[in-house]
Every structure is written in structure tokens, then in C-alpha cells.
Amino acid sequence: MQIACVLYPRFTALDIIGPFQTLVDLRGVDTVFVAEVAGPVPDHTGRCHLVATHTFAELSAPDVVVVPGGMADQTATAEDPVVAWLRTVHPSTTWTTSVCTGAIYLGLAGILNGLDATTHWAAYDRLGQLGAVPIAERVVRRGKVITAAGVSAGIDMGLLLAAELAGERAAHGVQLAIEYDPQPPFDCGAPWKVPAELRARVAAALGGS
Amino acid sequence: MQIACVLYPRFTALDIIGPFQTLVDLRGVDTVFVAEVAGPVPDHTGRCHLVATHTFAELSAPDVVVVPGGMADQTATAEDPVVAWLRTVHPSTTWTTSVCTGAIYLGLAGILNGLDATTHWAAYDRLGQLGAVPIAERVVRRGKVITAAGVSAGIDMGLLLAAELAGERAAHGVQLAIEYDPQPPFDCGAPWKVPAELRARVAAALGGS
């Protein structure tokens, strides 16, 4: 079973490394990083470079696709290489998934038409404009499409996906191996948990709505 | 302020990307990936390659050091390049930190002598053999040394560190930006939460004690 972790310039690193870490050690999976061009791909900070080992052209039938969010989706169009590739491979995937604003690429590819989906909280409106029905949940699963909320939500989604791919017993083992027993030191992880001022400040910094 | 994210062959990707993502967007920080040799460094799965932009030799006085765990620490010695570099830079850091079995490298460098510290649950014994006092907590802070538990604990540690470096207000903004409002689908993230059989199976897979 092949799992394709998508990269593109200005992706967000944790968006893709979260799911990657929950899936890569499962038995029988072949996890690869794929991008338009092989080689190092810079994240949205320009500080982190992850290496794509495969090109979109080389990867024509992945079983699972994971699309991270980042800071490039706001100007992405239906002609974006990620979007074009998604249109080609989605019909034959077992699971097509996104984290954060990775959902925007799914939307641009026409995969979310009329479908419940989630994304980063600052991008609900944009997701709706692409035909999806934005839902403020951590992980939204509809048929073979799974979308996760912002950045860190990819870990929660990854564990769900691990259970689908390899069974709950295997997923429990992954959770224990990565010691995922979260204890955030603050309680500011959702927009409805913080003052409007903080919400506005972060949305502005992200260039979101 | 310079933050050095350490890489070495067979590191675990989420160990370092968790803290990276909580720190990199803070104002006034210069976050870099550093390794013995610059260029792509393979993780413990061989599937993920992160690029080191700096060598240990080039980075002589980072303010903050973050050492990830991985699958190489079990054979590491006091002569390991990571350990040798830690001995050089630790005296002048503001914070020296580790995630997961990254603590083993701190121990080998003599940084944890008699000090409370944590690591991946499967490595408590090894940490104790290096002179540390293993503590089963998510994040342990003693003076300028902060150690975090396995893999995903680096996110919790990173948020604490973000508050130290830039204030709680900034850390709250980071938590909201990465939408860190965890909702694990299972409750198997700590060794005392799972059956002994699962614990034994995962410890064996990790080669742990």
C-alpha cells in the first residue's frame, strides 16, 4: 500500500509530519514524499526543507494521499500542479486526505463539491467558496475523503487513518510509540477558547479571513 | 536569538518538527537545522529527509538547542558528534532541551548528572544509567535544561519554551495558529493506560527496555 505525502513550496512542516509519523511504521505501507519536482522543498518559513523523493509524474496510483496546508493555497488556482495531480489520482485512491488548508487544494480539484469538510479555522470561508460545507470539527470523514483542522490536527487524523489501514490494535501501538498523551500547557488551541483580540491577531498574521 | 534544531541519521521526524513549528514563527528568532554534515539527513524510517543548513562546526553559540530522539541513541557513545557538540555549546546556551531519547545525548554529554529528566517511557532505565533521575512526566524543567517525553511531547515542550522566549501572549498565539486542541481518537498514549501486552510489543519494536 502506497501512501503519498504531498509537498509544495510554502507547505507547513507539522501538517505533513504529523500524519507521516502515525503511518510510516505500519506494516506493509510504502510512504513517500511527492512533489512537482524531486529534491528539497522549502516550507512556509523557508527554514525547513523536506526532500521529495518522487515527482507527481512518477506517482500515478497512490492508495492514500495526504495534502498538508501551508501559506501558498491563498493564491493557488485550479491549474496548480498539486490540484492537477489530485484530479488525476483521486478517482483511484482508497483515501484522499488533507490537513489544515490542504483542504483548499482538494476543493480546487472539485473533490469537496457539496461535501462536509474542515480546514484551519481561519479558512472556513474560503473552503465554503470552493463548494464544500465547512464544519468546525477536528476531523471530518465523508466516504473516502478525510479532512483535518489546522496543523496539529493531522496527528489525530493520522491515528484514525492508521486504524482504518491496519486495525485499531496497530493504531493503539502507534499512539503509545509516539507517546501521544497530549498535555498542552495552555488552553488556546481553538478559536472559541480565546479572546476575539487574539483570534483577530492570529488570523491577520496568517492572512486568513 | 538563534535556535538550533539538531539532526543526525535515524532521528525521528516529529520529535524535531513539533518544537520547530512552535518556535519558528516567533518574532526575533533565527531557527536553523544543524548536523555534523550539511545536506539531507535521513530519519529512522529512511523515508523522510530533512535538510541541515548548518554544520556543528559552523554553529558555536546557539541560544537554544533542541535535540530530538530517534533510533541511533542506543549505540551512541560519548564520542558521538552530537554529544561532542553539546559539550561545547551547552555552557553558553540559554536553554538546552531534548525530546524523547534526545535526552540520551544530553546524558552522554554529562548534562544530566544528578538531574531530574524525562525521555521516551521505554528508555527510562537507560537514562538512569547515564546519571539522570528519570521522571515520568510530560515535560521536566530543571534550571535551563528541559526534557520532554516521547515524540509528540515536543509540541507541549515547545509551547512552554515559546512562552519563555517570547511571553505567554505569543505562545497563546502559536497554539491557536497551529490549532493545538488535541482530540486523540484513542486513549493509549501513556504506558500506564494500556495493557501490558501492548506495552511489551511496542517496547520490543522500539528496542527499548
Side-chain angles (χ1 to χ4, degrees):
Chain A
M1 169 166 306
Q2 191 175 55
I3 300 178
C5 294
V6 172
L7 298 176
Y8 53 84
R10 306 194 74 201
F11 73 102
T12 294
L14 185 53
D15 286 33
I16 196 67
I17 292 298
F20 167 80
Q21 205 70 72
T22 62
L23 300 172
V24 66
D25 287 321
L26 295 176
R27 252 178 231 178
V29 306
D30 169 33
T31 307
V32 300
F33 286 94
V34 61
E36 189 186 11
V37 180
V41 182
D43 79 335
H44 82 255
T45 72
R47 297 305 179 120
C48 176
H49 296 75
L50 262 172
V51 176
T53 51
H54 293 67
T55 66
F56 289 141
E58 289 168 344
L59 222 66
S60 58
D63 301 286
V64 179
V65 170
V66 187
V67 184
M71 298 294 267
D73 56 90
Q74 297 187 29
T75 52
T77 68
E79 283 71 49
D80 187 279
V82 173
V83 176
W85 183 72
L86 283 173
R87 271 195 302 262
T88 305
V89 299
H90 173 65
S92 62
T93 61
T94 309
W95 298 99
T96 299
T97 74
S98 64
V99 179
C100 197
T101 54
I104 300 293
Y105 295 92
L106 270 57
L108 286 166
I111 293 170
L112 301 180
N113 282 335
L115 211 64
D116 297 343
T118 197
T119 184
H120 192 284
W121 57 267
Y124 290 153
D125 289 351
R126 279 195 289 134
L127 191 66
Q129 287 156 14
L130 293 171
V133 181
I135 305 278
E137 289 179 7
R138 189 82 176 152
V139 179
V140 175
R141 173 181 164 173
R142 292 295 181 273
K144 74 174 191 179
V145 178
I146 313 180
T147 51
V151 191
S152 60
I155 301 174
D156 297 325
M157 184 196 73
L159 286 172
L160 273 176
L161 192 51
E164 288 295 335
L165 298 177
E168 283 212 357
R169 193 166 173 271
H172 292 174
V174 169
Q175 187 178 3
L176 182 61
I178 66 169
E179 211 164 337
Y180 187 47
D181 183 35
Q183 296 171 31
F186 314 110
D187 193 20
C188 301
W192 52 87
K193 291 184 169 182
V194 302
E197 170 274 326
L198 178 59
R199 205 161 51 236
R201 178 162 59 85
V202 171
L206 297 174
S209 52
Chain B
M1 169 166 307
Q2 190 175 55
I3 300 178
C5 294
V6 173
L7 299 175
Y8 54 82
R10 307 194 73 201
F11 74 102
T12 294
L14 185 54
D15 287 33
I16 196 68
I17 293 298
F20 168 80
Q21 205 71 68
T22 62
L23 299 171
V24 65
D25 287 322
L26 295 175
R27 254 180 231 178
V29 306
D30 168 32
T31 306
V32 300
F33 286 94
V34 61
E36 188 185 13
V37 180
V41 181
D43 79 335
H44 81 256
T45 73
R47 298 303 178 120
C48 176
H49 296 75
L50 262 171
V51 176
T53 51
H54 293 68
T55 65
F56 289 142
E58 288 167 346
L59 223 68
S60 58
D63 299 286
V64 178
V65 170
V66 187
V67 184
M71 297 295 267
D73 56 272
Q74 297 188 29
T75 52
T77 68
E79 283 71 49
D80 186 279
V82 174
V83 176
W85 183 72
L86 283 172
R87 273 194 301 263
T88 306
V89 299
H90 173 65
S92 62
T93 61
T94 309
W95 298 100
T96 298
T97 75
S98 65
V99 179
C100 197
T101 54
I104 300 293
Y105 295 91
L106 270 58
L108 287 166
I111 293 169
L112 301 181
N113 282 335
L115 211 64
D116 297 342
T118 198
T119 183
H120 193 284
W121 58 267
Y124 290 154
D125 289 352
R126 279 196 289 135
L127 191 66
Q129 287 156 13
L130 293 171
V133 182
I135 305 278
E137 289 179 9
R138 190 81 176 153
V139 179
V140 175
R141 174 180 163 173
R142 293 296 182 272
K144 74 173 188 178
V145 177
I146 312 180
T147 51
V151 191
S152 61
I155 301 173
D156 298 325
M157 185 196 72
L159 286 172
L160 273 176
L161 193 51
E164 288 295 335
L165 299 177
E168 283 211 359
R169 194 166 171 271
H172 292 175
V174 168
Q175 187 177 4
L176 183 60
I178 66 169
E179 211 165 335
Y180 188 45
D181 183 34
Q183 295 171 32
F186 313 110
D187 192 21
C188 302
W192 52 86
K193 291 183 168 183
V194 302
E197 171 274 326
L198 178 60
R199 204 160 52 236
R201 179 163 57 87
V202 171
L206 297 173
S209 52

